[in-house]
Amino acid sequence: MKFLHDLIEKQKPLFDKGGKLEKYFPIFEMTETILFWTNARTKSGPHIRGGLDTKRYMMMVVVALLPMTLFGMYNTGLQHFQAVGEVASFMDAFMFGFWQVLPLIIVSYAVGGFWEVLFAIIRKHEVNEGFLVTGLLFPLILPATMPLWQAAIGISFGVVIGKEVFGGTGMNILNPALTGRAFLFFAYPGKISGDKVWIAIDSAKDKVIDGFSGATPLLAATSAEGNQSAATAVSEAGFSVMDMFYGFVPGSWGETSVLAALIGAAILIVTGVGSWRIMLSVVLGGMAMGTLMNMLAGEGSSPILSLPAYMHLLMGGFALGTVFMATDPVSAAQTSTGKWIYGFLIGLLAVLIRAVNPAYPEGMMLAILFMNVFAPLIDYFVVQANIKRRLSRA
């Protein structure tokens, strides 16, 4: 490593101010900070002195995402072999899923990284480590069957429109990964909705077993017929509560396991990276709206209104969105009171969208994006209320 460090230091004058490769300094700086610790320090502007810099902050989020990533790879393979009626070992299922989703991760990092570096060079600033998180979060919330060219377009839209047009990391009001997914949902709905995209099946080679549908638990809940309750429809589709908790169900390949999300939440809370206020308030909001929907359920109403509130927390992207998306430190509310309001409304909206819009059973994505827009307004009113209260004491 000393040889590599000396080699990088030897090349540094070429990229410093006045050097032949000055305009490519962001690429040099990115390479140096990924491989080694840097002695560079913030020189201007107000800042907080602390041991947790942006790089360590983002790397901690990536570490917290590893349980969901590794389980998602295994579950992708498991769902494939169950669909074709074959029994596979743990390693066979994991390796199948690994090779299925690895291209999505590579495309996300390569294409998104290209835009990050390009804007860093044009604006003459450092490449921000925030993309380490976005580059992994984005493929996690896609079906394993997503065409790579569509994934490339989606991450391009998320990085450029969701972040760079606002000025880059720290200036964006929307979560970039969710922005990219929302674009794909509306631009290519056939590849990110319905019941044919959630399991890695090659229709030309694989013959699925009789009765296989590919539906997710959420789709099963919204497809209940007659007087059948949503919970019964989910059960008859073969999904138990524990299967949904562990994540042995179809869905976007990296968001099915609530258990893995809880492990990630524990890592983020213990290290002080994630906001427990937002996570808890999202859950409370989801439970509150789910309970209200249960009270409104009756004869002739949409079946999903009868779905027990706690089952909403186990389905779709609710868990991943609560832990990793709603807590985005840039696009979330910043004040303590604001975080409670912001998170609670995300939970309310996610379940409300699922209940009132049968065409869009996964409401977490739109709920978070919607509240991203209102997060600054929530903070504004919280701060103004605090100022008014203090003035009243004077």
Side-chain angles (χ1 to χ4, degrees):
M1 293 301 289
K2 185 177 185 305
F3 166 77
L4 184 59
H5 182 265
D6 292 341
L7 180 62
I8 290 177
E9 287 298 312
K10 189 176 181 179
Q11 304 302 319
K12 190 173 184 179
L14 294 174
F15 296 91
D16 284 338
K17 189 173 183 179
K20 292 181 179 179
L21 303 176
E22 178 187 352
K23 66 178 179 178
Y24 298 113
F25 177 78
I27 299 177
F28 175 83
E29 191 274 342
M30 176 184 68
T31 306
E32 183 183 33
T33 53
I34 288 176
L35 296 175
F36 302 102
W37 179 255
T38 175
N39 291 322
R41 296 291 182 270
T42 303
K43 296 179 181 178
S44 62
H47 57 274
I48 299 174
R49 185 183 297 276
L52 187 63
D53 60 10
T54 305
K55 182 169 65 175
R56 290 182 180 178
Y57 189 99
M58 296 302 175
M59 285 307 298
M60 192 56 65
V61 180
V62 172
V63 170
L65 279 169
L66 287 180
M68 302 212 71
T69 305
L70 296 176
F71 179 83
M73 291 175 174
Y74 167 69
N75 189 50
T76 299
L78 177 68
Q79 296 301 321
H80 165 82
F81 286 113
Q82 287 182 346
V84 298
E86 295 182 10
V87 177
S89 66
F90 174 84
M91 281 307 299
D92 286 342
F94 179 82
M95 292 309 298
F96 179 91
F98 174 81
W99 289 115
Q100 182 70 32
V101 303
L102 182 63
L104 284 173
I105 298 174
I106 293 175
V107 166
S108 177
Y109 273 119
V111 177
F114 165 77
W115 290 111
E116 288 278 349
V117 172
L118 179 62
F119 276 89
I121 292 174
I122 293 173
R123 291 174 173 159
K124 299 180 180 178
H125 63 61
E126 299 171 355
V127 178
N128 194 280
E129 293 86 352
F131 185 69
L132 292 174
V133 176
T134 303
L136 183 56
L137 264 178
F138 178 71
L140 285 175
I141 55 178
L142 297 179
T145 57
M146 197 77 197
L148 296 181
W149 67 272
Q150 292 183 7
I153 294 175
I155 190 63
S156 297
F157 189 89
V159 171
V160 177
I161 306 299
K163 185 171 70 174
E164 295 299 342
V165 295
F166 294 102
T169 299
M171 306 295 288
N172 54 295
I173 61 173
L174 301 174
N175 183 292
L178 279 180
T179 304
R181 191 185 192 277
F183 171 80
L184 290 178
F185 179 80
F186 292 108
Y188 309 104
K191 297 295 184 181
I192 202 168
S193 61
D195 58 358
K196 305 298 182 186
V197 302
W198 307 111
I199 298 178
I201 295 293
D202 186 338
S203 57
K205 299 178 181 177
D206 300 318
K207 183 178 180 180
V208 299
I209 60 176
D210 292 338
F212 168 78
S213 70
T216 64
L218 264 176
L219 195 58
T222 58
S223 303
E225 298 178 350
N227 295 324
Q228 188 182 39
S229 69
T232 301
V234 172
S235 177
E236 291 185 353
F239 305 124
S240 69
V241 170
M242 293 312 297
D243 281 343
M244 290 186 285
F245 177 75
Y246 290 125
F248 301 126
V249 294
S252 293
W253 70 269
E255 68 177 22
T256 62
S257 176
V258 178
L259 176 61
L262 290 176
I263 295 173
I267 294 173
L268 295 181
I269 292 173
V270 169
T271 56
V273 171
S275 169
W276 64 269
R277 292 182 179 87
I278 293 178
M279 296 182 200
L280 179 58
S281 57
V282 172
V283 172
L284 293 176
M287 288 295 293
M289 181 56 73
T291 303
L292 176 61
M293 291 293 111
N294 291 165
M295 295 170 63
L296 296 176
E299 188 174 351
S301 62
S302 174
I304 199 170
L305 267 65
S306 65
L307 188 69
Y310 73 91
M311 292 185 72
H312 280 286
L313 312 183
L314 305 176
M315 293 181 169
F318 198 98
L320 184 140
T322 299
V323 176
F324 296 102
M325 301 290 195
T327 57
D328 184 341
V330 177
S331 56
Q334 304 299 310
T335 58
S336 295
T337 303
K339 289 177 180 177
W340 285 106
I341 300 171
Y342 166 83
F344 191 78
L345 290 177
I346 286 177
L348 282 179
L349 286 173
V351 176
L352 180 64
I353 293 171
R354 287 178 175 181
V356 302
N357 186 359
Y360 187 66
E362 178 49 85
M364 198 61 179
M365 175 185 71
L366 290 184
I368 295 175
L369 288 175
F370 190 74
M371 291 312 302
N372 282 167
V373 175
F374 284 94
L377 191 62
I378 293 173
D379 281 335
Y380 172 80
F381 283 114
V382 169
V383 171
Q384 291 301 312
N386 192 36
I387 292 173
K388 187 177 180 180
R389 185 170 58 252
R390 286 172 177 258
L391 288 175
S392 66
R393 296 173 183 168

